Amino acid sequence: MSLQDQEAFLSNIHPFEVLTNEQMETCIKHMDIAYYPKDSVLITPEKISNHFFIIIKGSVHEYSEDVVVMDYHQEDSFDANSLIYSETKNTFKVHEDLICYELEKNTFLKLIENNQQFKDFFLKNLVNKLQTLKNKEYASELSGFMIAKVDDTLIHEACIVDENTKLIDAIEKSMTFKTSTIIVKNEKNEYGIITDSLLKVKVLLEGRKLDIPVKDIAIFPLMTVFHDDYLFEALTVLIKRNIKRIGVTNSKGEMIGILEQIDVLSHFANHTYVVDSQIKKAKTIKDLKHASNDLLNIIKSLHAKGVKVNHISNLIGQLNTKVYKKLYDLVVPKELQSDACLIVMGSEGRNEQIIKTDQDNALVVKDGIDVEQYRKYMQEITDHLIDFGYPKCEGNIMVSNPFWCKTVEEYKKETARWIEAPAMQDYMDLAIFFDSFAVAGDKKLLINLKDDLFEKLHDKDVFMAYFAKATLTFDTPNTVANFMTKVHYIDIKKTSVFPIVQGIRSLALREKIRETTTVKRIKILEERKILEKEKAAELLEAFDVVNTLRLKAQLENVLENKKISNEVNTHSLGKIERDLLKDSFKIINDFKKFITYSFKIDKIS
């Protein structure tokens, strides 16, 4: 292989592309090609190598106590840790005849010493490596859409007045700021807001005088975001809350300006606001169907622009919620709406279903109200959702099923049965129900049921152990080779998404956490010291990786007019995606061990 070929080969391997020309020349000068037959042992705890290995052809397995924990293939490299720290707990053994480059230890260590980016990749923890690899993989997709912060867009100077300021004085001050928005600060340093529309309703229509204190009409609290939050998160809040402006604060909680919805939308120039407006303005089922049909186009657009999958799921989740609420308002008679609560469950309840794969929903009816009068309307809702493109749930977990349409007391009896004499289906039903989120009607009915559920699970350690055991239902490969060579496709939901969702759901249920989204549950568990900071960060990164691969595969299904599934074509994975998946597998398998220990699963049959 010529020097040019060597340089071209190395430049395609992260992080060697960050080396300067001089460093690359030094690297090539102190690098040789070596051959090792199958079963050759390269590194052991007792024998640390003097070389950094880069595979040209063949494969190597890394063992921990006779278990394969990582596999290395063409363009993979190893083992920086043993060179940097002069020790290893694992053994590296040739799995298929190996042809590789061997870079001298001293040269490798000098490169680390003299190139900060090179050093950061090898010395940072697994989370940072995952983030670095993701940034490299999707660099071509990165745009202002994905990385823009609130600071990157127009923030209007805030007109702030004290709560006792006369309204007329506050209006005069707002005119000098050339704004129609007045921010009111009370004695608790909390912020409220007065807008033009509020002045019309609370002053003009009610005939109030202009010498009243602003606190009499201001709305508290004002929704806020931090100045260094992602701009896309601010857009999600604006859409969720149906508001046109939001306050911007610094790290000290001080108001530094106002972010207008129109400025956010002009920054992104996407179709989200149009769809949101269509949903809100829909007066007929036909109007609502037209609006919901545009959701897939939004998903495609956001994914193509590199928006993180968590942001996409949050935004689509908010829009889906609005579709459900509007449908409930259009179908259920006004006099019946407040005596019941429409809920979404499972992945919809967790805000994690991006592309419509099924529908999990139910109705909770107030005690003393005749459930039968809701039946025909619930069937209509199911039929309309199917027509909108929300596939029928194969398990019939829908409001049209009488099992998922009953009174609060009937649900309480059901949850008691699930817990006291559970069968496999009961564990599944409880898991789905626990992820429930109220979208329309009287939300207090669901709160009542959650309170009752938490009370019933007090001191139910054995039940919780069996509930958590579902985390281990599906095998997660130890290495990419496990499926790259044996099967063409992998079910990313079963092997990777579900173990994280169920494990975190089990911890959240035990800790009585009401939040439904997996990402927020992880953050709350970290705050409560149930998850160590590093483990929580690893899970968040792994969850993002596997969901990104899942969404990418599902969008390919849509493009090719195939049935949407959770299968990922392993032969289509690029090297960096394979590396990301390998590291994610390791995190997920470690998490399974953590769940086994936390719930003492090994103590039950």
Side-chain angles (χ1 to χ4, degrees), residues 35-40 55 57-59 94-99:
Y35 167 77
Y36 294 94
K38 178 179 173 65
D39 294 329
S40 298
I55 299 177
K57 187 177 181 180
S59 64
V94 177
H95 181 65
E96 296 175 347
D97 288 1
L98 177 69
I99 300 175

Side-chain angles (χ1 to χ4, degrees), residues 50-178:
N50 284 318
H51 295 94
F52 180 74
F53 297 89
I54 306 165
I55 299 177
I56 300 173
K57 187 177 181 180
S59 64
V60 173
H61 281 183
E62 180 181 352
Y63 293 86
S64 175
E65 298 179 354
D66 298 325
V67 176
V68 178
V69 294
M70 192 66 73
D71 61 330
Y72 302 93
H73 299 265
Q74 183 179 358
E75 297 186 359
D76 285 343
S77 59
F78 63 95
D79 175 50
N81 285 344
S82 61
L83 296 180
I84 295 169
Y85 304 110
S86 297
E87 65 175 7
T88 182
K89 295 180 180 179
N90 296 341
T91 297
F92 294 74
K93 186 177 179 181
V94 177
H95 181 65
E96 296 175 347
D97 288 1
L98 177 69
I99 300 175
C100 64
Y101 283 123
E102 291 183 334
L103 178 61
E104 294 176 3
K105 176 180 179 178
N106 289 338
T107 302
F108 176 76
L109 294 178
K110 284 180 181 178
L111 290 174
I112 283 181
E113 182 181 342
N114 297 324
N115 189 304
Q116 188 63 44
Q117 286 180 278
F118 196 78
K119 176 181 180 179
D120 286 346
F121 180 78
F122 290 109
L123 265 66
K124 284 186 174 181
N125 60 26
L126 185 55
V127 170
N128 285 300
K129 283 188 177 181
L130 278 167
Q131 292 172 342
T132 301
L133 285 171
K134 280 195 295 185
N135 288 341
K136 179 173 173 60
E137 171 67 7
Y138 304 113
S140 62
E141 300 174 359
L142 285 174
S143 65
F145 220 111
M146 178 176 180
I147 62 177
K149 298 292 186 75
V150 171
D151 277 337
D152 295 328
T153 194
L154 177 62
I155 299 177
H156 298 272
E157 185 178 4
C159 172
I160 304 175
V161 299
D162 179 81
E163 64 178 342
N164 294 311
T165 303
K166 289 183 180 180
L167 181 58
I168 184 65
D169 295 334
I171 293 174
E172 288 181 359
K173 184 175 181 179
S174 71
M175 293 176 68
T176 65
F177 277 75
K178 296 182 179 180

Side-chain angles (χ1 to χ4, degrees), residues 506-522:
S506 301
L507 292 168
L509 183 57
R510 188 181 67 183
E511 298 301 317
K512 301 180 180 180
I513 294 173
R514 294 181 182 274
E515 179 57 58
T516 58
T517 65
T518 301
V519 168
K520 291 180 181 179
R521 281 172 172 173
I522 291 173

Side-chain angles (χ1 to χ4, degrees), residues 390-416:
Y390 295 80
K392 183 177 180 180
C393 174
E394 292 182 2
N396 201 21
I397 304 171
M398 300 180 292
V399 288
S400 53
N401 180 355
F403 183 85
W404 293 105
C405 179
K406 46 196 172 190
T407 64
V408 171
E409 189 58 35
E410 287 173 327
Y411 273 112
K412 287 181 178 180
K413 290 178 180 178
E414 201 64 57
T415 55

Side-chain angles (χ1 to χ4, degrees), residues 204-448:
L204 294 180
L205 292 181
E206 294 183 6
R208 298 196 188 196
K209 295 182 179 181
L210 295 180
D211 59 355
I212 60 173
V214 290
K215 65 182 179 183
D216 286 2
I217 64 169
I219 297 176
F220 285 88
L222 169 66
M223 294 298 301
T224 61
V225 292
F226 289 113
H227 67 100
D228 60 349
D229 280 348
Y230 284 109
L231 190 57
F232 199 83
E233 293 176 354
L235 175 60
T236 303
V237 174
L238 289 166
I239 294 294
K240 178 180 180 180
R241 300 288 182 178
N242 287 323
I243 54 180
K244 295 182 178 179
R245 54 191 60 80
I246 194 168
V248 180
T249 61
N250 59 22
S251 57
K252 297 179 182 178
E254 299 166 336
M255 183 68 58
I256 61 175
I258 297 296
L259 185 63
E260 298 278 352
Q261 184 189 67
I262 191 170
D263 296 316
V264 180
L265 293 172
S266 64
H267 186 99
F268 287 146
N270 77 91
H271 198 48
T272 305
Y273 178 66
V274 176
V275 174
D276 181 49
S277 297
Q278 288 176 340
I279 294 172
K280 285 189 286 188
K281 294 177 181 178
K283 290 182 170 55
T284 66
I285 298 297
K286 184 178 179 180
D287 293 339
L288 188 58
K289 177 182 178 180
H290 177 72
S292 70
N293 285 343
D294 280 339
L295 293 180
L296 182 58
N297 291 328
I298 292 176
I299 295 168
K300 290 177 181 177
S301 174
L302 298 182
H303 178 71
K305 292 180 178 178
V307 178
K308 292 183 69 173
V309 68
N310 182 46
H311 293 331
I312 297 176
S313 65
N314 275 338
L315 183 58
I316 296 302
Q318 298 302 332
L319 294 175
N320 274 324
T321 294
K322 293 190 176 190
V323 170
Y324 269 93
K325 186 178 187 308
K326 176 62 74 168
L327 185 59
Y328 184 80
D329 291 341
L330 291 173
V331 171
V332 180
K334 298 294 182 186
E335 64 271 17
L336 296 181
Q337 291 180 10
S338 61
D339 285 334
C341 178
L342 181 65
I343 63 177
V344 290
M345 304 180 292
S347 58
E348 287 186 297
R350 296 193 308 273
N351 241 4
E352 289 164 12
Q353 184 181 114
I354 299 177
I355 293 181
K356 302 168 185 175
T357 54
D358 68 355
Q359 51 171 298
D360 293 332
N361 43 60
L363 188 76
V364 182
V365 180
K366 189 179 296 184
D367 288 333
I369 303 297
D370 183 10
V371 177
E372 293 303 318
Q373 60 187 325
Y374 287 91
R375 300 284 187 213
K376 67 174 183 177
Y377 303 116
M378 294 305 102
Q379 184 63 56
E380 282 186 44
I381 285 179
T382 294
D383 292 341
H384 287 313
L385 286 172
I386 293 172
D387 185 45
F388 287 6
Y390 295 80
K392 183 177 180 180
C393 174
E394 292 182 2
N396 201 21
I397 304 171
M398 300 180 292
V399 288
S400 53
N401 180 355
F403 183 85
W404 293 105
C405 179
K406 46 196 172 190
T407 64
V408 171
E409 189 58 35
E410 287 173 327
Y411 273 112
K412 287 181 178 180
K413 290 178 180 178
E414 201 64 57
T415 55
R417 187 184 64 77
W418 290 344
I419 295 169
E420 295 303 326
M424 183 58 67
Q425 185 61 45
D426 297 324
Y427 287 112
M428 293 174 61
D429 288 343
L430 178 60
I432 293 168
F433 178 77
F434 178 55
D435 290 341
S436 57
F437 178 79
V439 295
D442 186 357
K443 299 180 181 181
K444 292 179 183 178
L445 300 179
L446 181 59
I447 294 174
N448 184 343

